[in-house]
Amino acid sequence: MGHMLLHDKTAKAFSAADAERLPSIPKEQSAEWQADRFCDHYLLPIKFVESLNFDAHLIVNQCNVPHRIALRQIINAQRILKVGTSNYQT
């Protein structure tokens, strides 16, 4: 969904793989990176991740998302909420 909303013909030029992207273009300006982050937040809202106690296995099982996405969103949630990592389950 993020890819459909955020990618247009002008953004595609910035969607190349890291190795192919111009070094002067930060990854945060990559349409691919932006679409991935949008999807992370759409699939796993921060408050939902918090409600599951930042437990990656629980998130994966209840939300049917890949483990890497669950971990990435746990890190995002903890950074945004400024929570310690004591509840962090891998």
Side-chain angles (χ1 to χ4, degrees):
M1 175 177 247
H3 296 274
M4 292 187 305
L5 293 173
L6 297 175
H7 286 199
D8 62 18
K9 65 183 177 183
T10 60
K12 290 179 184 174
F14 298 101
S15 296
D18 286 346
E20 298 172 13
R21 194 177 67 242
L22 295 172
S24 62
I25 305 294
K27 71 177 179 181
E28 292 82 6
Q29 290 183 11
S30 159
E32 192 69 23
W33 184 90
Q34 292 174 9
D36 286 345
R37 295 304 77 74
F38 175 88
C39 288
D40 290 349
H41 290 279
Y42 182 78
L43 292 172
L44 299 172
I46 298 297
K47 289 296 183 180
F48 185 74
V49 171
E50 182 182 29
S51 74
L52 294 176
N53 297 315
F54 307 99
D55 185 321
H57 295 294
L58 192 57
I59 293 167
V60 167
N61 290 332
Q62 288 197 9
C63 302
N64 196 29
V65 296
H67 194 257
R68 66 181 173 77
I69 292 175
L71 290 177
R72 189 166 61 208
Q73 197 60 347
I74 287 168
I75 292 167
N76 287 334
Q78 290 177 332
R79 180 180 45 82
I80 290 167
L81 298 170
K82 295 180 178 26
V83 176
T85 58
S86 62
N87 294 336
Y88 184 48
Q89 303 289 319
T90 58

